[in-house]
Amino acid sequence: MPITVAGNAHRQHAPSEVYVGGELVPPLETPERVDALLRGVRLVGWPIHGPREFPVAAVEAVHDRELIEHLRSGWNDAQDAGWPPQVTPDVFPHQGIVCDGLRGSGEFRRKMGELCFDCSSPLTAGTWIAAKEAADVSLTAAECLLIGRERVAYALCRPPGHHAGPRVYGGYCYLNNAAVAAHRLASEQRPVAILDIDIHHGNGTQAVFYDDPDVLTVSVHEHPEFGYPYYTGYPSERGNGPGIDHNLNVTLGRGCVDDVYGAALEAALARIESFASSCLVVSLGLDGLAEDPTSEARLTPRAYAAAGAALRDLNRPTLVIQEGGYAQARVPEALARFLAAIEGL
Ligand code: Q9C
Ligand code: ZN
């Protein structure tokens, strides 16, 4: 039977409000999400294990030291500098003001704007502890695959990770759990494929492996013309240098329904099938559900059951990493159906 890995320290990251469109509103990305996801796991009865703690070197393999240091100590630095208890940058090094390149280094205020790309991802007292635990959850699940005891492992990560890039965080994401695990897997058994089926573009994962032909990245998401994060995720983004044609973006139109989604997923899976990877990392977001406030998609849990079944048919060792999904009433059923299908039930 496949296994689940989940922790408790994520609860220490619980912003009380975040900016949406300039207004402070209650957050969607909450500790209660994990309770809903665990209800889904219990529906399929997969055993749940706690995470092991890994050296931070595993995270340094995909993230810049300065970003890691900032996540680790930025909140404390901010408190010393008189910032509020939830820290969000308010000046960014926008292309329209930067002249002669980014300069200076190490200064706290400058790092705030440079290392964070949106206003929905505050640093709080417990953010580092939670983000590091999520990376440890994904690494623990990856080890289960490497030991070869399981064909499928589910990493119940929170906070999510796929928007975090080598040197930037945002989109509720701080460390890229999927990228950290994929890098670890690739160091043992290349090549690795990543399929990102969060409804938002996995810009961070794309950026981490953009030049890398040993890690294929494929993302299925709402078109950036209307879908978050708005500036990335175009089909023209195909990889770079040796990594050219090792990144694929499959975009969805407004109001996507199950059948249309299934066809897009088929195109994504065809590319993965043509790439003989030793294993597969799936960034699973459940935010395409009709009830989810962060997308225009109108998926039902059936779409996630179909995705699970298609992945079962690929029949590769598979690490499932939790990303987004905010419609808490609907999440348990969608997750349970995905997990049951990928197990082959
Ligand atoms: N009207 C992840 O799913 N913007 N991040 C929401 C809603 C932020 C999503 C706006 C969406 C971030 C990991
Ligand atoms: Zn998402």
Side-chain angles (χ1 to χ4, degrees):
M1 178 172 281
I3 64 140
T4 293
V5 182
N8 273 313
H10 73 87
R11 290 184 192 282
Q12 295 176 52
H13 173 69
S16 59
E17 44 191 12
V18 300
Y19 283 103
V20 174
E23 188 180 35
L24 277 169
V25 300
L28 295 168
E29 205 295 289
T30 61
E32 291 70 40
R33 289 183 59 238
V34 173
D35 303 328
L37 292 160
L38 284 171
R39 281 197 286 281
V41 172
R42 281 189 215 103
L43 286 171
V44 291
W46 291 13
I48 302 167
H49 299 270
R52 245 179 68 196
E53 205 177 316
F54 286 80
V56 78
V59 174
E60 287 170 352
V62 307
H63 291 294
D64 202 285
R65 268 233 165 81
E66 207 181 7
L67 173 66
I68 296 169
E69 263 324 297
H70 182 66
L71 293 175
R72 204 196 319 242
S73 57
W75 184 82
N76 281 303
D77 298 347
Q79 301 313 296
D80 294 344
W83 283 56
Q86 299 187 58
V87 184
T88 301
D90 50 15
V91 181
F92 297 89
H94 191 279
Q95 291 180 48
I97 65 167
V98 170
C99 192
D100 263 358
L102 284 176
R103 31 186 137 190
S105 75
E107 199 277 318
F108 170 70
R109 171 168 273 288
R110 187 195 56 77
K111 280 194 290 185
M112 283 302 303
E114 192 185 331
L115 301 177
C116 179
F117 71 81
D118 76 1
C119 298
S120 318
S121 316
L123 293 183
T124 71
T127 299
W128 167 254
I129 298 292
K132 174 62 167 54
E133 180 190 69
D136 285 338
V137 164
S138 74
L139 285 163
T140 303
E143 288 308 312
C144 292
L145 286 198
L146 284 173
I147 296 163
R149 233 180 311 134
E150 319 288 345
R151 188 185 59 87
V152 180
Y154 171 54
L156 206 172
C157 295
R158 177 183 178 269
H162 75 147
H163 294 305
R167 207 181 141 69
V168 72
Y169 69 95
Y172 314 153
C173 303
Y174 301 88
L175 296 174
N176 194 317
N177 310 309
V180 168
H183 191 281
R184 167 81 187 110
L185 290 168
S187 73
E188 291 287 323
Q189 34 186 255
R190 289 175 297 170
V192 169
I194 305 179
L195 173 65
D196 188 322
I197 55 170
D198 186 283
I199 204 70
H200 309 109
H201 178 229
N203 61 286
T205 312
Q206 169 175 300
V208 168
F209 299 111
Y210 209 56
D211 297 292
D212 190 344
D214 286 329
V215 180
L216 173 69
T217 47
V218 178
S219 180
V220 181
H221 49 265
E222 290 193 317
H223 197 283
E225 272 167 11
F226 65 97
Y228 183 90
Y230 310 116
Y231 301 100
T232 70
Y234 287 85
S236 62
E237 299 158 16
R238 290 169 37 206
N240 182 51
I244 190 76
D245 284 326
H246 288 76
N247 185 78
L248 176 65
N249 287 325
V250 179
T251 57
L252 308 166
R254 292 180 186 269
C256 184
V257 294
D258 290 356
D259 287 355
V260 177
Y261 190 77
L265 192 60
E266 223 171 273
L269 287 168
R271 177 66 186 99
I272 286 169
E273 233 172 338
S274 74
F275 183 75
S277 70
S278 62
C279 61
L280 179 64
V281 175
V282 178
S283 269
L284 172 67
L286 300 167
D287 36 21
L289 286 169
E291 295 81 359
D292 193 288
T294 71
S295 80
E296 296 185 24
R298 296 203 301 263
L299 304 185
T300 74
R302 278 176 92 107
Y304 292 100
L311 290 165
R312 169 71 195 83
D313 290 345
L314 258 193
N315 199 24
R316 293 185 198 174
T318 302
L319 173 60
V320 179
I321 308 272
Q322 185 62 50
E323 302 288 354
Y326 310 99
Q328 282 181 35
R330 205 75 161 133
V331 154
E333 184 193 349
L335 177 62
R337 294 193 60 173
F338 175 89
L339 296 178
I342 201 171
E343 187 184 355
L345 297 181

